[in-house]
Amino acid sequence: MNGIGGEEVTARAEPARPLEWKFAQVFGERAFGEEVQEVDIISAIEFDKTGDHLATGDRGGRVVLFNRTDTRDHGGNRRDLEMADYSPSRHPEFHYKTEFQSHEPEFDYLKSLEIEEKINKIRWCQTANSALFLLSTNDKTIKFWKVQEKKVKKVCDMNVDPSKALGNGIVCSSISTSSKPCIANGGCVNRTFNYLSTDFSFPPGGIPFLHLPRVMSHETSSVARCRRIYAHAHDYHINSISNNSDGETFISADDLRINLWNLEISSQSFNIVDVKPANMEDLTEVITSAEFHPSHCNMLAYSSSKGSIRLIDLRQSALCDTHCKLFEELEASTSRSFFTEIIASISDIKFSKDGRHLLSRDYMTLKLWDINMESVPVATFQVHEHLRPKLCDLYENDSIFDKFECCLSGDGLRVATGSYSNLFRVFGCSEGSTEATTLEANKNPMMRQVQTPSRPSRSLGSLSRVGRRGTDSSGADTNGNAFDFMTKLLHLAWHPTENSLACATSNSLYMYYA
């Protein structure tokens, strides 16, 4: 214990140095000026718990899987490794594994509503017998998928060349026999016989070397099969799904309700949160995101459009109308405006790996909360404060309603989120850290790195919004580059055990390491 405590003191005294991010891979890179189809735009991204598999979903309802191919367990002695010129800092390498059509466009005839095939969220489930399991959802329907490696079996050693056979397997070409004048059964063959498929018969001399075909196993291929479909439980669009640590249940959330499911039962779910008022005119806020605690199966958090996060305990009651904790930072009345409530809406929340902290993303900021302290976040990070003077323009083109995701590193020392012009930002959240890096999703991620002024101290007495206003009133970044609101980085994921990031921009998947 003393040793552990000593390490913590050292970490606090010396904050981690900023990471130097490098390009690793790109999938689906488009040429300059190439038009991107709407169905190819990536809409969800998720690492599994081991970090060996990565899944992406797109607006066309497809799920694409990637698996890690670099070997992490390098056997052999030290001399062998040195001879092989092995570098332990080599970045993780992923290859395309398989893809499948998860959802199709549908039409609800009762409500005259078209249901898009777009994948909203993907969540990995526990593996079993070397098979992969995952959940994917569009606006209305959740599906449970099993992806398994299967060997492709082929028939070999045929008596007839398969390339000379018809689709129904009947020979339509010639069969050539041996050039020897005599064969074992006494026949004499010295010419070639041609037979149509309807008149096929053995040559008078018979076929020499007749043998039985064999079934051989060749390469393996990944096969995806839908195990269960969880449907007809949400009247509004599903915005979140989250697995429970018990490995048996998961939640799905829409604007007004959160339902609890058992993975084995698709015919029914239990409504655990319902914020729908008796009169819809009294509706003041909606649910925007929901997430299970990573280790306590009875705890979950959900965020709202008013900028609050509620932590609930499933042991309190069957319907969790009351929360056990409320995380909310109130806006000063003097600084309120028409856009205050819009930009306060939380688009994503994530628990840290140890479950001690909660990360939330609203339109302008990232906030890190300690679940033991509800009154104020322990850290606030300004993502694109220079856009504040342009909120009116952002409202006119609907960009103000964009939903950016956020993520934490596995060690909890850093957080990341996206912005416009295909930029993403990485912040250090350890005590005393001033790390605030801006990178562009391309093959040279450090090209758009800018020096961000030091943030105010994060001691509990000074967790104010110092520096929130007036940092940059221009419509450009600190390098003078104009922001493009049509190119945005909404989705990204941090590798669970390494400093590796996967970012989705349009139809391209970029991967970086540090």
Side-chain angles (χ1 to χ4, degrees):
M1 291 297 293
N2 293 335
I4 297 175
E7 291 178 2
E8 290 180 353
V9 171
T10 303
R12 291 175 181 175
E14 299 179 5
R17 289 187 294 180
L19 296 177
E20 182 179 349
W21 291 94
K22 300 176 183 178
F23 170 79
Q25 291 175 273
V26 59
F27 297 94
E29 185 182 24
R30 64 185 187 276
F32 179 77
E34 179 183 354
E35 185 177 352
V36 178
Q37 299 295 323
E38 180 80 10
V39 295
D40 294 331
I41 297 176
I42 298 174
S43 58
I45 182 171
E46 185 81 4
F47 279 106
D48 72 340
K49 287 186 176 181
T50 65
D52 291 338
H53 297 93
L54 176 67
T56 65
D58 61 29
R59 295 187 181 181
R62 292 164 298 190
V63 172
V64 182
L65 303 184
F66 302 88
N67 67 313
R68 187 169 180 174
T69 54
D70 62 305
T71 305
R72 291 187 296 173
D73 298 324
H74 298 272
N77 55 35
R78 180 173 179 177
R79 174 178 290 183
D80 293 336
L81 295 178
E82 291 175 350
M83 292 286 290
D85 194 26
Y86 166 69
S87 173
S89 61
R90 185 173 57 180
H91 65 82
E93 184 176 348
F94 286 80
H95 282 189
Y96 170 86
K97 181 180 179 69
T98 188
E99 67 179 87
F100 56 90
Q101 188 71 33
S102 174
H103 289 73
E104 299 281 358
E106 302 175 35
F107 190 82
D108 189 335
Y109 292 96
L110 292 177
K111 297 181 179 179
S112 296
L113 180 67
E114 185 177 352
I115 303 173
E116 290 183 327
E117 65 270 34
K118 171 192 168 189
I119 304 296
N120 290 341
K121 294 289 181 181
I122 296 174
R123 290 293 181 266
W124 289 92
C125 303
Q126 293 182 355
T127 60
N129 299 326
S130 71
L132 303 175
F133 295 89
L134 52 89
L135 291 166
S136 63
T137 182
N138 64 351
D139 287 339
K140 294 292 184 180
T141 306
I142 307 165
K143 294 186 179 182
F144 183 47
W145 292 91
K146 177 181 180 181
V147 182
Q148 195 170 22
E149 297 282 345
K150 289 194 175 182
K151 292 184 177 180
V152 177
K153 295 183 178 180
K154 295 182 179 179
V155 179
C156 301
D157 296 337
M158 299 284 289
N159 290 286
V160 180
D161 186 359
S163 64
K164 297 180 180 180
L166 288 175
N168 58 6
I170 301 176
V171 176
C172 64
S173 185
S174 64
I175 300 176
S176 298
T177 60
S178 173
S179 60
K180 294 180 180 180
C182 297
I183 52 178
N185 60 2
C188 183
V189 181
N190 55 13
R191 70 181 187 273
T192 301
F193 296 86
N194 294 318
Y195 297 101
L196 296 175
S197 60
T198 56
D199 301 324
F200 179 77
S201 62
F202 284 100
I207 299 179
F209 314 116
L210 185 65
H211 51 268
L212 291 175
R214 292 184 299 165
V215 177
M216 301 288 289
S217 296
H218 288 264
E219 72 280 358
T220 60
S221 65
S222 298
V223 178
R225 184 165 64 93
C226 184
R227 295 287 302 273
R228 288 176 189 85
I229 299 177
Y230 313 90
H232 311 300
H234 288 277
D235 292 329
Y236 303 91
H237 291 176
I238 298 173
N239 55 49
S240 303
I241 53 175
S242 178
N243 303 90
N244 199 345
S245 59
D246 62 11
E248 298 179 357
T249 57
F250 71 93
I251 56 171
S252 59
D254 64 21
D255 292 342
L256 299 180
R257 292 187 176 93
I258 300 178
N259 294 332
L260 178 67
W261 300 83
N262 189 298
L263 283 169
E264 301 296 326
I265 303 172
S266 59
S267 58
Q268 64 176 350
S269 63
F270 297 95
N271 180 227
I272 56 176
V273 175
D274 189 347
V275 299
K276 183 178 181 180
N279 185 355
M280 286 295 285
E281 293 181 358
D282 298 329
L283 183 67
T284 58
E285 61 181 336
V286 295
I287 299 170
T288 57
S289 183
E291 186 90 1
F292 258 121
H293 191 280
S295 56
H296 298 312
C297 61
N298 58 291
M299 304 291 289
L300 66 92
Y302 69 92
S303 59
S304 80
S305 58
K306 276 194 169 182
S308 61
I309 304 173
R310 292 172 173 83
L311 190 69
I312 62 175
D313 190 340
L314 298 178
R315 298 171 297 184
Q316 289 184 339
S317 62
L319 184 62
C320 301
D321 287 330
T322 58
H323 52 268
C324 58
K325 290 189 177 183
L326 173 64
F327 305 92
E328 187 175 27
E329 187 177 23
L330 298 177
E331 183 86 19
S333 58
T334 55
S335 61
R336 293 186 64 85
S337 68
F338 171 77
F339 304 108
T340 298
E341 198 165 303
I342 299 176
I343 63 175
S345 178
I346 295 176
S347 57
D348 191 27
I349 59 171
K350 291 287 194 309
F351 274 101
S352 61
K353 192 173 183 179
D354 59 4
R356 174 66 186 271
H357 294 92
L358 259 172
L359 180 67
S360 67
R361 170 68 202 264
D362 57 40
Y363 188 70
M364 300 297 292
T365 65
L366 272 175
K367 293 178 181 178
L368 187 67
W369 299 84
D370 187 325
I371 63 172
N372 295 325
M373 186 176 67
E374 308 168 50
S375 58
V376 67
V378 295
T380 299
F381 309 97
Q382 312 299 332
V383 180
H384 38 220
E385 185 65 20
H386 54 274
L387 297 182
R388 191 173 293 274
K390 295 191 173 295
L391 290 179
C392 186
D393 296 334
L394 294 165
Y395 179 78
E396 291 293 332
N397 61 23
D398 287 339
S399 294
I400 200 171
F401 301 106
D402 287 335
K403 300 183 183 302
F404 293 94
E405 294 181 358
C406 59
C407 59
L408 297 95
S409 61
D411 56 14
L413 297 179
R414 294 173 178 86
V415 297
T417 190
S419 182
Y420 294 103
S421 297
N422 288 341
L423 301 180
F424 63 98
R425 307 207 65 191
V426 179
F427 300 96
C429 54
S430 58
E431 186 174 348
S433 173
T434 58
E435 180 177 359
T437 308
T438 303
L439 307 109
E440 184 176 9
N442 58 26
K443 290 186 176 181
N444 185 17
M446 304 299 287
M447 186 178 71
R448 294 286 287 271
Q449 182 176 358
V450 297
Q451 294 298 324
T452 304
S454 299
R455 288 166 294 152
S457 171
R458 289 195 210 92
S459 62
L460 298 184
S462 61
L463 285 174
S464 61
R465 306 183 181 207
V466 176
R468 281 201 57 174
R469 299 190 179 277
T471 56
D472 184 5
S473 60
S474 66
D477 61 19
T478 54
N479 288 337
N481 299 304
F483 268 79
D484 181 3
F485 300 119
M486 299 304 295
T487 58
K488 58 196 76 172
L489 199 154
L490 300 176
H491 313 285
L492 75 171
W494 201 301
H495 191 282
T497 59
E498 301 176 6
N499 285 323
S500 178
L501 274 169
C503 309
T505 65
S506 188
N507 67 324
S508 302
L509 176 65
Y510 287 90
M511 305 195 71
Y512 304 95
Y513 71 101

mmCIF file with all atom_site columns, all heavy atoms in Angstrom, residues 44 52 124 155 198 223 251 278 287 289 432 507:
data_model
loop_
_atom_site.group_PDB
_atom_site.id
_atom_site.type_symbol
_atom_site.label_atom_id
_atom_site.label_alt_id
_atom_site.label_comp_id
_atom_site.label_asym_id
_atom_site.label_entity_id
_atom_site.label_seq_id
_atom_site.pdbx_PDB_ins_code
_atom_site.Cartn_x
_atom_site.Cartn_y
_atom_site.Cartn_z
_atom_site.occupancy
_atom_site.B_iso_or_equiv
_atom_site.pdbx_formal_charge
_atom_site.auth_seq_id
_atom_site.auth_comp_id
_atom_site.auth_asym_id
_atom_site.auth_atom_id
_atom_site.pdbx_PDB_model_num
ATOM 1  N N   . ALA A 1 44  ? -20.588 5.299   -36.059 1.00 0.00 ? 44  ALA A N   1
ATOM 2  C CA  . ALA A 1 44  ? -20.316 4.699   -34.748 1.00 0.00 ? 44  ALA A CA  1
ATOM 3  C C   . ALA A 1 44  ? -18.958 4.018   -34.796 1.00 0.00 ? 44  ALA A C   1
ATOM 4  O O   . ALA A 1 44  ? -18.547 3.506   -35.842 1.00 0.00 ? 44  ALA A O   1
ATOM 5  C CB  . ALA A 1 44  ? -21.402 3.695   -34.366 1.00 0.00 ? 44  ALA A CB  1
ATOM 6  N N   . ASP A 1 52  ? -8.225  -5.659  -29.037 1.00 0.00 ? 52  ASP A N   1
ATOM 7  C CA  . ASP A 1 52  ? -7.792  -6.447  -30.195 1.00 0.00 ? 52  ASP A CA  1
ATOM 8  C C   . ASP A 1 52  ? -8.788  -6.379  -31.343 1.00 0.00 ? 52  ASP A C   1
ATOM 9  O O   . ASP A 1 52  ? -8.484  -6.849  -32.445 1.00 0.00 ? 52  ASP A O   1
ATOM 10 C CB  . ASP A 1 52  ? -7.582  -7.909  -29.799 1.00 0.00 ? 52  ASP A CB  1
ATOM 11 C CG  . ASP A 1 52  ? -6.382  -8.078  -28.878 1.00 0.00 ? 52  ASP A CG  1
ATOM 12 O OD1 . ASP A 1 52  ? -5.505  -7.195  -28.899 1.00 0.00 ? 52  ASP A OD1 1
ATOM 13 O OD2 . ASP A 1 52  ? -6.328  -9.073  -28.133 1.00 0.00 ? 52  ASP A OD2 1
ATOM 14 N N   . TRP A 1 124 ? -19.587 -3.889  -27.713 1.00 0.00 ? 124 TRP A N   1
ATOM 15 C CA  . TRP A 1 124 ? -19.074 -5.252  -27.683 1.00 0.00 ? 124 TRP A CA  1
ATOM 16 C C   . TRP A 1 124 ? -19.582 -5.973  -26.437 1.00 0.00 ? 124 TRP A C   1
ATOM 17 O O   . TRP A 1 124 ? -19.699 -5.383  -25.373 1.00 0.00 ? 124 TRP A O   1
ATOM 18 C CB  . TRP A 1 124 ? -17.548 -5.243  -27.670 1.00 0.00 ? 124 TRP A CB  1
ATOM 19 C CG  . TRP A 1 124 ? -16.934 -4.818  -28.959 1.00 0.00 ? 124 TRP A CG  1
ATOM 20 C CD1 . TRP A 1 124 ? -16.560 -3.551  -29.323 1.00 0.00 ? 124 TRP A CD1 1
ATOM 21 C CD2 . TRP A 1 124 ? -16.612 -5.646  -30.075 1.00 0.00 ? 124 TRP A CD2 1
ATOM 22 N NE1 . TRP A 1 124 ? -16.027 -3.543  -30.582 1.00 0.00 ? 124 TRP A NE1 1
ATOM 23 C CE2 . TRP A 1 124 ? -16.040 -4.815  -31.074 1.00 0.00 ? 124 TRP A CE2 1
ATOM 24 C CE3 . TRP A 1 124 ? -16.744 -7.016  -30.340 1.00 0.00 ? 124 TRP A CE3 1
ATOM 25 C CZ2 . TRP A 1 124 ? -15.604 -5.305  -32.305 1.00 0.00 ? 124 TRP A CZ2 1
ATOM 26 C CZ3 . TRP A 1 124 ? -16.307 -7.498  -31.559 1.00 0.00 ? 124 TRP A CZ3 1
ATOM 27 C CH2 . TRP A 1 124 ? -15.750 -6.658  -32.527 1.00 0.00 ? 124 TRP A CH2 1
ATOM 28 N N   . VAL A 1 155 ? -14.612 -29.371 -52.342 1.00 0.00 ? 155 VAL A N   1
ATOM 29 C CA  . VAL A 1 155 ? -14.463 -30.729 -52.851 1.00 0.00 ? 155 VAL A CA  1
ATOM 30 C C   . VAL A 1 155 ? -13.269 -30.759 -53.806 1.00 0.00 ? 155 VAL A C   1
ATOM 31 O O   . VAL A 1 155 ? -13.206 -29.991 -54.766 1.00 0.00 ? 155 VAL A O   1
ATOM 32 C CB  . VAL A 1 155 ? -15.741 -31.192 -53.576 1.00 0.00 ? 155 VAL A CB  1
ATOM 33 C CG1 . VAL A 1 155 ? -15.557 -32.611 -54.125 1.00 0.00 ? 155 VAL A CG1 1
ATOM 34 C CG2 . VAL A 1 155 ? -16.929 -31.137 -52.624 1.00 0.00 ? 155 VAL A CG2 1
ATOM 35 N N   . THR A 1 198 ? -27.033 -34.363 -71.514 1.00 0.00 ? 198 THR A N   1
ATOM 36 C CA  . THR A 1 198 ? -28.206 -35.250 -71.421 1.00 0.00 ? 198 THR A CA  1
ATOM 37 C C   . THR A 1 198 ? -27.900 -36.670 -71.873 1.00 0.00 ? 198 THR A C   1
ATOM 38 O O   . THR A 1 198 ? -28.683 -37.580 -71.626 1.00 0.00 ? 198 THR A O   1
ATOM 39 C CB  . THR A 1 198 ? -29.348 -34.681 -72.280 1.00 0.00 ? 198 THR A CB  1
ATOM 40 O OG1 . THR A 1 198 ? -28.871 -34.503 -73.624 1.00 0.00 ? 198 THR A OG1 1
ATOM 41 C CG2 . THR A 1 198 ? -29.803 -33.342 -71.724 1.00 0.00 ? 198 THR A CG2 1
ATOM 42 N N   . VAL A 1 223 ? -18.062 -15.351 -40.347 1.00 0.00 ? 223 VAL A N   1
ATOM 43 C CA  . VAL A 1 223 ? -19.486 -15.408 -40.657 1.00 0.00 ? 223 VAL A CA  1
ATOM 44 C C   . VAL A 1 223 ? -20.255 -14.721 -39.535 1.00 0.00 ? 223 VAL A C   1
ATOM 45 O O   . VAL A 1 223 ? -20.075 -15.053 -38.358 1.00 0.00 ? 223 VAL A O   1
ATOM 46 C CB  . VAL A 1 223 ? -19.965 -16.860 -40.828 1.00 0.00 ? 223 VAL A CB  1
ATOM 47 C CG1 . VAL A 1 223 ? -21.462 -16.899 -41.112 1.00 0.00 ? 223 VAL A CG1 1
ATOM 48 C CG2 . VAL A 1 223 ? -19.190 -17.555 -41.934 1.00 0.00 ? 223 VAL A CG2 1
ATOM 49 N N   . ILE A 1 251 ? -28.789 -1.827  -21.309 1.00 0.00 ? 251 ILE A N   1
ATOM 50 C CA  . ILE A 1 251 ? -29.835 -0.814  -21.346 1.00 0.00 ? 251 ILE A CA  1
ATOM 51 C C   . ILE A 1 251 ? -29.881 -0.178  -22.729 1.00 0.00 ? 251 ILE A C   1
ATOM 52 O O   . ILE A 1 251 ? -28.897 -0.154  -23.460 1.00 0.00 ? 251 ILE A O   1
ATOM 53 C CB  . ILE A 1 251 ? -29.628 0.285   -20.282 1.00 0.00 ? 251 ILE A CB  1
ATOM 54 C CG1 . ILE A 1 251 ? -28.237 0.941   -20.437 1.00 0.00 ? 251 ILE A CG1 1
ATOM 55 C CG2 . ILE A 1 251 ? -29.858 -0.244  -18.893 1.00 0.00 ? 251 ILE A CG2 1
ATOM 56 C CD1 . ILE A 1 251 ? -28.046 2.168   -19.574 1.00 0.00 ? 251 ILE A CD1 1
ATOM 57 N N   . ALA A 1 278 ? -47.146 13.732  -17.905 1.00 0.00 ? 278 ALA A N   1
ATOM 58 C CA  . ALA A 1 278 ? -48.529 13.426  -18.268 1.00 0.00 ? 278 ALA A CA  1
ATOM 59 C C   . ALA A 1 278 ? -48.988 14.302  -19.418 1.00 0.00 ? 278 ALA A C   1
ATOM 60 O O   . ALA A 1 278 ? -49.715 13.857  -20.316 1.00 0.00 ? 278 ALA A O   1
ATOM 61 C CB  . ALA A 1 278 ? -49.433 13.605  -17.047 1.00 0.00 ? 278 ALA A CB  1
ATOM 62 N N   . ILE A 1 287 ? -33.644 12.839  -22.399 1.00 0.00 ? 287 ILE A N   1
ATOM 63 C CA  . ILE A 1 287 ? -32.444 12.030  -22.156 1.00 0.00 ? 287 ILE A CA  1
ATOM 64 C C   . ILE A 1 287 ? -31.578 12.051  -23.416 1.00 0.00 ? 287 ILE A C   1
ATOM 65 O O   . ILE A 1 287 ? -32.067 11.858  -24.525 1.00 0.00 ? 287 ILE A O   1
ATOM 66 C CB  . ILE A 1 287 ? -32.835 10.585  -21.792 1.00 0.00 ? 287 ILE A CB  1
ATOM 67 C CG1 . ILE A 1 287 ? -33.675 10.569  -20.510 1.00 0.00 ? 287 ILE A CG1 1
ATOM 68 C CG2 . ILE A 1 287 ? -31.595 9.710   -21.639 1.00 0.00 ? 287 ILE A CG2 1
ATOM 69 C CD1 . ILE A 1 287 ? -34.311 9.208   -20.219 1.00 0.00 ? 287 ILE A CD1 1
ATOM 70 N N   . SER A 1 289 ? -28.051 10.640  -23.325 1.00 0.00 ? 289 SER A N   1
ATOM 71 C CA  . SER A 1 289 ? -27.074 9.563   -23.309 1.00 0.00 ? 289 SER A CA  1
ATOM 72 C C   . SER A 1 289 ? -27.206 8.779   -22.013 1.00 0.00 ? 289 SER A C   1
ATOM 73 O O   . SER A 1 289 ? -27.651 9.327   -20.994 1.00 0.00 ? 289 SER A O   1
ATOM 74 C CB  . SER A 1 289 ? -25.650 10.125  -23.446 1.00 0.00 ? 289 SER A CB  1
ATOM 75 O OG  . SER A 1 289 ? -24.697 9.098   -23.505 1.00 0.00 ? 289 SER A OG  1
ATOM 76 N N   . GLY A 1 432 ? -2.185  19.289  -12.281 1.00 0.00 ? 432 GLY A N   1
ATOM 77 C CA  . GLY A 1 432 ? -1.052  20.087  -12.710 1.00 0.00 ? 432 GLY A CA  1
ATOM 78 C C   . GLY A 1 432 ? -0.752  20.006  -14.191 1.00 0.00 ? 432 GLY A C   1
ATOM 79 O O   . GLY A 1 432 ? 0.103   20.737  -14.692 1.00 0.00 ? 432 GLY A O   1
ATOM 80 N N   . ASN A 1 507 ? -16.149 9.018   -44.424 1.00 0.00 ? 507 ASN A N   1
ATOM 81 C CA  . ASN A 1 507 ? -16.073 7.568   -44.624 1.00 0.00 ? 507 ASN A CA  1
ATOM 82 C C   . ASN A 1 507 ? -14.694 7.004   -44.308 1.00 0.00 ? 507 ASN A C   1
ATOM 83 O O   . ASN A 1 507 ? -14.420 5.841   -44.582 1.00 0.00 ? 507 ASN A O   1
ATOM 84 C CB  . ASN A 1 507 ? -16.416 7.233   -46.079 1.00 0.00 ? 507 ASN A CB  1
ATOM 85 C CG  . ASN A 1 507 ? -15.363 7.743   -47.050 1.00 0.00 ? 507 ASN A CG  1
ATOM 86 O OD1 . ASN A 1 507 ? -14.787 8.801   -46.840 1.00 0.00 ? 507 ASN A OD1 1
ATOM 87 N ND2 . ASN A 1 507 ? -15.105 6.997   -48.109 1.00 0.00 ? 507 ASN A ND2 1
#
